[in-house]
């Protein structure tokens, strides 16, 4: 629905015709509690609820004479400290907001799209962005498609925008740019290469990106240090780049090399799977190879390879994800990782510590002690979300269990600061921090005092008795604001009865049949003619029902119903490699989706613990035969007995590993099916699954060369999926590293794909659910 004046019944009829071919979808946002003051201000609340996301609400006030909209509460889904500690930037479903650390009402970021500036809430995750430390500059990706967008630089002082790079990948778990500590320059990734960009206001002329090239890599290939330099990994070489060099390269890029070579690491750095961290004094570096092998290197060494065997390292369990590194300025280094176990996610902790070694000696000679460093296990904290105080002596851990304060040096709990679930914490000194939950954002001193920064969510609200101020209840307490000053606690609220009528306007809610809005606030001007929607409506693009693919094979379920529910199935194929599985399970859990996992016997035999973990997640587990063989290969004599024995053997392998039964659902390895194969499987009770969308994520570099085609990037595959999907689509994704090589992997960008499906109005269900709905 558009924000226009007209007859509501006529608009509803037009809307119904427009969406006649579409099915209802889950309403994401509902508006309610309309309260109209005598001076024509409208107070209302928006509630956001989506499967797998945090339920949140926001309080708004609108001046109906000009339809201006202000947000007066801020849900702290994400928080960061900017402007040298003076401002808190809050991000949530409604956009980006900034709050004074001393307390105040949220202000929308100038130049950044948000709900109060007219951006529709389309569901999905809160996308990452990057703000400079001084708070003046902000980077975000302006969408062009489901997978790509333009990298935009915003000057928040005036709202001016500048396009930095075209067609960069939309961020998954990490933004494709990072700022220098002095806010003068940032490094960004685009098309598999790294560039830098200076924001010195004196330099007005744009510099061609050829002269800003750093080299090949992803944003994981660079890391800024606290000294203002950054480190760059290319292949097995470690470079150190002085921040001042980047300004010189703007003028002399034709002959000035990038950085100084520090040495070599004993492996090739892969920005898709590897990470590294720099110590505060820039003298040491920590590597994570594939998310499992953690290596520590002092940077004073001439060559990392020469002392590889003597350097400390630790091997993280294979189903680990979400590694958090705490590295104190004084030196103590702690690695915290989440690990998926049969009984649920667990946290493991390792501390890099001196370890004494005894060397030989006899008689009166005392054993000499040679100090060496080693990773030693520690007791896990209640959450993997942790942050060090500026001086590195204390650590905060927060999550569903509340907030716990640690003595970081001695690794012991000092005290529990809160038992309520906390979404984010920020240190603002060594004795004070900011925390946010579903009620309030507060400053907390370790001495025990608290002060309100802003309300995060409200349960009741209204105008005060005189109609000038606004009252809101949060966590059983009442607060007051005049609409411009900070919220203050009030012990004796004088509430005015809610009203939907003033001398000039009448307000009401109009239900919506389609789209993410359950209803819309409507404004009727009783002093004139016409009714308008306060919030612009949202429309999904109409999809053309496709014809069944001509290659559809009898007996193979290739897709569900094309009408009815907007649902698709994601199928994850596990052949012989576990890579990507922990991250995929974590993403599906955060979005609240169930998928189908197809396992073959090779994977089951190699990774029985991973099989048990998947079995305990609630996802559908199906068969992919007992071995990864191409059943269409002429070398095999494929008969009914061969198919039935292969399926039965895989059932037994799965039961031995998990003590559970596979679903009687399968697809042949590599989707090499036929009518005869499907009939043979049906004889032993199996339903055969196919696919109607092929992302081509199975195609390695070697496959592309042999086929004479170009290999699609992960972003291209996401756009391909979103363009091709229809209600009932079956979309396979292959996990594991391809032997023929790829530059990136689709499963690493699953968050972007899931987000695109949600924004298109789709939900993800197992294949068996599509089959049931097709009956």
């Amino acid at each position: 629905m558009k924000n226009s004046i007209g007859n509501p019944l006529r608009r509803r009829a037009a809307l119904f015709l427009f969406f006649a071919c579409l099915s209802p979808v889950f309403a994401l946002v509902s508006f309610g509690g309309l309260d109209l003051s005598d001076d024509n201000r409208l107070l209302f609340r928006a509630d956001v609820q989506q499967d797998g996301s945090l339920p949140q609400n926001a309080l708004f006030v609108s001046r109906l004479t000009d339809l201006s909209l202000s947000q007066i509460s801020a849900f702290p889904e994400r928080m960061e400290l900017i402007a040298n500690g003076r401002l808190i930037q809050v991000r949530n479903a409604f956009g980006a907001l900034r709050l004074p650390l001393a307390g105040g009402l949220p202000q929308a970021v100038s130049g950044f799209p948000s709900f109060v500036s007219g951006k529709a809430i389309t569901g999905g995750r809160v996308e990452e962005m990057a703000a400079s430390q001084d708070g003046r500059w902000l980077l975000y990706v302006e969408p062009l498609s489901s997978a790509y967008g333009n990298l935009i630089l915003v000057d928040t002082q005036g709202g001016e925008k500048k396009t930095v790079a075209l067609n960069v990948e939309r961020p998954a778990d990490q933004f494709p740019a990072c700022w220098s500590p002095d806010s003068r320059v940032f490094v960004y990734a685009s098309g598999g290469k790294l560039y830098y960009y200076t924001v010195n206001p004196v330099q007005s002329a744009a510099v061609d990106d050829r002269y800003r090239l750093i080299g090949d890599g992803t944003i994981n290939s660079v890391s800024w240090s606290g000294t203002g330099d950054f480190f760059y990994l290319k292949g097995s070489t470690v470079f150190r780049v002085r921040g001042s060099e980047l300004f010189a390269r703007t003028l002399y890029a034709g002959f000035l090399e990038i950085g100084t070579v520090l040495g070599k690491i004993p492996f090739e750095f892969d920005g898709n799977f590897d990470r590294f961290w720099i110590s505060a004094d820039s003298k040491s570096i920590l590597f994570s190879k594939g998310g499992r092998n953690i290596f520590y290197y002092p940077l004073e060494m001439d060559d990392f390879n020469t002392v590889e065997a003597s350097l400390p390292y630790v091997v993280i369990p294979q189903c680990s994800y979400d590694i958090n590194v705490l590295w104190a300025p004084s030196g103590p280094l702690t690695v915290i990782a989440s690990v998926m176990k049969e009984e649920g996610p667990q946290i493991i902790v390792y501390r890099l510590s001196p370890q004494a070694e005894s060397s030989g000696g006899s008689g009166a000679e005392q054993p000499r002690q040679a100090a060496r460093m080693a990773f030693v296990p520690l007791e896990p904290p209640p959450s993997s979300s942790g942050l060090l105080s500026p001086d590195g002596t204390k650590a905060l851990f927060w999550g569903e269990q509340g907030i716990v304060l640690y003595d970081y040096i001695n690794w012991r709990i000092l005290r529990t600061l809160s038992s309520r679930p906390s979404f984010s914490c920020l240190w603002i000194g060594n004795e004070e921090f900011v925390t946010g939950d579903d009620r309030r954002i507060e400053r907390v001193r370790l001495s025990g005092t608290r002060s309100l920064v802003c309300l995060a969510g409200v349960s009741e609200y209204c105008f005060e008795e005189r109609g000038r101020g606004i009252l809101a209840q949060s966590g059983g307490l009442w607060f007051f604001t005049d609409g411009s000053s900070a919220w203050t606690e009030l012990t004796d609220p004088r509430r005015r009865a809610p009203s939907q009528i003033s001398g000039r306007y009448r307000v009401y809610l109009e239900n919506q049949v389609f789209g993410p809005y359950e209803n819309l606030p409507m404004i009727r001007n009783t002093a004139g003619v016409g009714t308008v929607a306060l919030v612009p409506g949202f429309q999904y693009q109409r999809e053309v029902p496709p014809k069944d693919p001509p290659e559809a094979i009898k007996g193979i379920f290739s897709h569900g119903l094309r009408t009815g529910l907007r649902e698709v199935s994601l199928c994850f194929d596990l052949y012989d490699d576990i890579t990507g599985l922990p991250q995929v399970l974590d993403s599906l859990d955060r979005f609240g989706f169930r998928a189908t996992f197809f396992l073959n016997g090779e994977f089951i035999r190699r990774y029985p613990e991973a099989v048990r973990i998947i079995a305990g997640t609630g996802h559908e587990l199906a068969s992919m035969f007992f071995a990864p063989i191409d059943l269409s290969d002429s070398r095999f004599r494929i008969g009914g007995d061969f198919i039935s024995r292969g399926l039965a053997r895989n059932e037994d392998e799965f039961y031995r590993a998990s003590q559970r039964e596979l679903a009687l659902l399968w697809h042949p390895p590599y989707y090499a099916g036929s009518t005869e194969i499907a009939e043979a499987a049906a004889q032993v009770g199996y339903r055969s699954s196919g696919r109607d969308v092929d992302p081509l994520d199975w195609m390695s570099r070697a496959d592309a060369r042999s086929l004479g085609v170009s290999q699609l990037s992960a972003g291209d595959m996401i756009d391909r999926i979103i363009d091709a999907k229809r209600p009932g689509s079956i979309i396979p994704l292959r996990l594991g590293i391809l032997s023929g090589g790829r530059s990136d992997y689709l499963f690493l960008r699953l968050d972007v794909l899931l987000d695109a499906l949600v924004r298109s109005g789709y939900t993800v269900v197992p294949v068996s659910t599509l089959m049931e709905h097709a009956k």
Side-chain angles (χ1 to χ4, degrees):
M1 178 180 292
K2 297 181 180 179
N3 188 359
S4 58
I5 298 175
N7 186 295
L9 293 177
R10 189 184 309 122
R11 289 198 305 275
R12 280 196 291 268
L15 189 65
F16 176 80
L17 291 174
F18 181 81
F19 287 111
C21 68
L22 304 183
S23 59
V25 295
F26 177 72
L28 172 71
V29 182
S30 62
F31 300 99
L34 304 185
D35 188 4
L36 185 58
S37 67
D38 292 336
D39 59 356
N40 301 314
R41 287 179 298 155
L42 176 63
L43 191 62
F44 66 96
R45 194 177 82 172
D47 287 83
V48 179
Q49 176 62 68
Q50 178 184 334
D51 289 346
S53 69
L54 295 171
Q56 53 184 278
N57 66 63
L59 190 60
F60 296 88
V61 62
S62 173
R63 189 171 58 239
L64 298 189
T65 52
D66 58 6
L67 297 183
S68 62
L69 190 61
S70 299
Q71 187 170 337
I72 55 176
S73 68
F75 186 85
E77 186 169 352
R78 306 281 178 86
M79 290 199 308
E80 51 202 336
L81 207 58
I82 58 173
N84 299 316
R86 299 190 307 275
L87 295 176
I88 304 169
Q89 183 165 279
V90 177
R91 288 181 285 141
N92 52 40
F94 301 97
L97 304 159
R98 291 184 172 180
L99 295 163
L101 184 61
L105 297 183
Q107 297 295 318
V109 179
S110 179
F112 182 80
S114 61
F115 180 71
V116 294
S117 62
K119 179 180 180 294
I121 303 172
T122 55
R125 64 204 168 93
V126 175
E127 283 200 8
E128 298 296 328
M129 63 175 65
S132 61
Q133 291 293 318
D134 63 6
R136 175 172 178 178
W137 308 98
L138 188 135
L139 288 164
Y140 74 98
V141 176
E142 188 175 70
L144 294 173
S145 70
S146 297
Y148 293 99
N150 293 335
L151 183 62
I152 305 296
L153 175 67
V154 178
D155 184 347
T156 62
Q157 290 185 358
E160 293 84 3
K161 298 181 182 181
K162 186 170 185 178
T163 300
V164 174
L166 303 175
N167 295 307
V168 302
E169 289 190 327
R170 294 179 67 175
D173 60 340
Q174 192 167 8
F175 194 76
C178 54
W179 284 93
S180 64
D182 62 6
S183 303
R184 299 174 66 196
V185 62
F186 60 87
V187 175
Y188 68 93
S190 178
K193 296 187 180 298
L194 290 162
Y195 303 86
Y196 66 89
Y197 192 99
T198 61
V199 294
N200 187 351
V202 176
Q203 179 187 319
S204 57
V207 179
D208 192 288
D209 58 7
R210 292 175 298 171
Y211 302 108
R212 296 186 283 105
L213 176 66
I214 295 173
D216 295 336
T218 71
I219 200 61
N220 287 334
S221 304
V222 297
S223 179
W224 288 96
S225 72
T227 60
D229 304 335
F230 76 86
F231 292 80
Y232 166 47
L233 270 72
K234 182 179 181 181
S236 61
T237 304
V238 182
F239 296 88
R240 181 174 186 164
V241 184
R242 304 286 183 183
S244 57
E245 291 179 19
L246 297 180
F247 293 95
R249 280 181 57 82
T250 302
L251 301 175
Y252 307 113
F255 55 86
L256 186 64
E257 293 297 327
I258 186 72
T260 302
V261 176
L262 288 181
K264 298 280 188 176
I265 56 177
F267 51 80
E268 291 287 314
F269 186 83
D270 185 343
N272 289 308
F273 302 101
D274 304 339
R275 294 283 306 276
F276 73 97
W277 297 263
I278 303 293
S279 63
D281 58 9
S282 301
K283 293 181 178 180
S284 305
I285 191 168
L286 184 76
F287 295 98
S288 167
K289 182 61 181 173
R292 291 202 60 201
N293 299 286
I294 309 292
F295 300 90
Y296 168 82
Y297 296 97
L299 290 175
E300 293 86 352
M301 296 183 306
D302 294 330
D303 191 340
F304 297 147
N305 283 307
T306 60
V307 289
E308 174 189 352
S310 64
L311 291 172
Y313 73 95
V314 64
V315 179
I316 304 296
Q318 62 184 11
C319 283
S320 63
Y321 65 102
D322 191 25
I323 295 176
N324 184 17
V325 172
L326 303 181
W327 207 337
S330 56
L333 166 62
T334 306
V335 177
I336 305 171
S338 299
V339 182
M340 290 193 172
K341 296 285 188 180
E342 294 179 61
E343 56 273 23
Q346 294 184 1
I347 299 170
I348 57 173
V349 181
Y350 292 94
R351 167 71 64 85
L352 184 65
S353 302
Q355 194 173 44
E357 279 188 348
S358 297
S359 57
S362 59
E365 181 183 1
Q366 295 294 325
R368 34 185 196 90
Q369 300 291 321
R372 68 183 293 267
M373 303 297 288
F375 285 97
V376 297
L378 299 176
E379 285 293 318
S383 169
S384 61
S385 298
L387 195 65
L388 282 176
S389 60
D391 63 4
T393 63
K394 295 178 284 292
L396 286 173
F397 291 94
W398 65 89
E400 294 183 2
Q401 304 303 316
I403 306 172
V404 177
L405 178 67
Y406 264 66
D407 173 349
Y408 177 70
I409 304 301
N410 300 300
W411 198 253
R412 61 186 180 88
I413 296 177
L414 294 176
R415 61 183 179 275
T416 298
L417 300 175
S418 173
S419 58
R420 299 201 71 256
S422 177
F423 303 130
S424 188
C425 288
L426 301 168
W427 285 101
I428 54 175
N430 295 318
E431 299 295 326
E432 189 177 10
F433 66 95
V434 175
T435 180
D437 57 26
D438 61 346
R439 295 176 177 177
R440 295 183 281 274
I441 300 173
E442 295 178 305
R443 293 176 64 170
V444 181
R445 292 192 62 82
L446 298 184
S447 60
T449 60
R450 291 174 174 261
S451 60
L452 179 67
V453 176
C454 188
L455 296 185
V458 300
S459 53
E460 294 184 56
Y461 54 90
C462 60
F463 286 103
E464 66 162 345
E465 189 176 57
R466 294 173 296 173
R468 297 186 179 276
I470 297 169
L471 303 174
Q473 187 185 63
S474 180
L477 302 176
W478 281 95
F479 298 86
F480 168 86
T481 180
D482 59 7
S484 58
S485 58
W487 291 100
T488 56
E489 188 175 347
L490 196 64
T491 56
D492 184 25
R494 298 180 179 271
R495 289 177 278 179
R496 173 183 177 272
S499 174
Q500 287 77 50
I501 301 174
S502 71
R504 185 174 177 180
Y505 296 99
R506 185 172 71 248
V507 296
Y508 64 95
L509 294 171
E510 183 178 80
N511 292 334
Q512 304 293 287
V513 179
F514 300 98
Y517 293 156
E518 186 178 84
N519 51 32
L520 291 177
M522 305 300 295
I523 315 301
R524 169 76 173 103
N525 187 344
T526 57
V529 295
T531 302
V532 299
L534 178 63
V535 177
F538 180 84
Q539 295 177 340
Y540 293 124
Q541 292 185 349
R542 179 173 180 167
E543 294 178 329
V544 178
K547 298 179 181 179
D548 287 341
E551 66 273 12
I553 299 172
K554 183 179 179 182
I556 296 180
F557 184 82
S558 295
H559 62 78
L561 291 175
R562 296 307 196 188
T563 58
L565 298 173
R566 278 178 173 255
E567 57 187 15
V568 297
S569 284
L570 293 184
C571 303
F572 296 93
D573 294 339
L574 292 158
Y575 285 88
D576 54 9
D577 189 347
I578 197 175
T579 304
L581 176 62
Q583 292 79 9
V584 163
L585 291 174
D586 181 52
S587 293
L588 291 170
D589 180 64
R590 283 186 282 107
F591 276 82
F593 289 146
R594 291 180 63 229
T596 301
F597 286 79
F598 287 95
L599 317 175
N600 67 18
E602 184 69 22
F603 182 88
I604 295 171
R605 290 186 290 274
R606 286 191 184 188
Y607 306 105
E609 182 182 5
V611 171
R612 292 190 290 270
I613 290 172
I614 305 172
T617 59
H619 295 290
E620 181 174 59
L621 285 96
S623 180
M624 200 165 52
F625 214 53
F626 81 96
I629 57 177
D630 184 351
L631 297 181
S632 66
D633 195 315
S634 60
R635 293 175 297 175
F636 299 108
R637 297 181 61 184
I638 307 300
D641 185 61
F642 181 81
I643 297 297
S644 61
R645 287 178 180 271
L647 290 170
R649 180 175 172 182
N650 207 37
E651 287 182 47
D652 295 340
E653 295 274 10
F654 180 78
Y655 182 81
R656 277 193 292 270
S658 67
Q659 300 299 302
R660 302 190 187 201
E661 300 289 349
L662 277 174
L664 294 179
L665 172 70
W666 85 305
H667 76 70
Y670 314 111
Y671 286 90
S674 67
T675 300
E676 293 74 22
I677 292 174
E679 289 176 348
Q683 290 297 317
V684 289
Y686 271 82
R687 297 171 294 177
S688 295
S689 173
R691 63 186 176 187
D692 66 326
V693 177
D694 183 0
L696 301 179
D697 63 337
W698 51 265
M699 186 182 295
S700 66
R701 292 192 190 96
D703 293 328
R705 284 194 298 269
S706 65
L707 295 172
V709 297
S710 298
Q711 192 182 53
L712 295 181
S713 68
D716 292 338
M717 287 188 280
I718 292 173
D719 281 346
R720 174 187 175 92
I721 291 170
I722 297 303
D723 289 343
K725 58 99 180 70
R726 296 292 185 270
S729 283
I730 299 176
I731 306 165
L733 284 81
R734 177 167 176 163
L735 300 185
I737 298 177
L738 299 181
S739 58
R742 281 197 61 87
S743 58
D744 59 5
Y745 286 84
L746 177 57
F747 60 77
L748 292 177
R749 298 185 59 74
L750 179 61
D751 277 6
V752 180
L753 173 59
L754 293 175
D755 183 61
L757 289 170
V758 169
R759 292 173 187 268
S760 300
Y762 280 79
T763 189
V764 176
V765 298
V767 173
S768 60
T769 301
L770 290 185
M771 291 178 168
E772 290 298 318
H773 292 170
K775 289 181 179 179

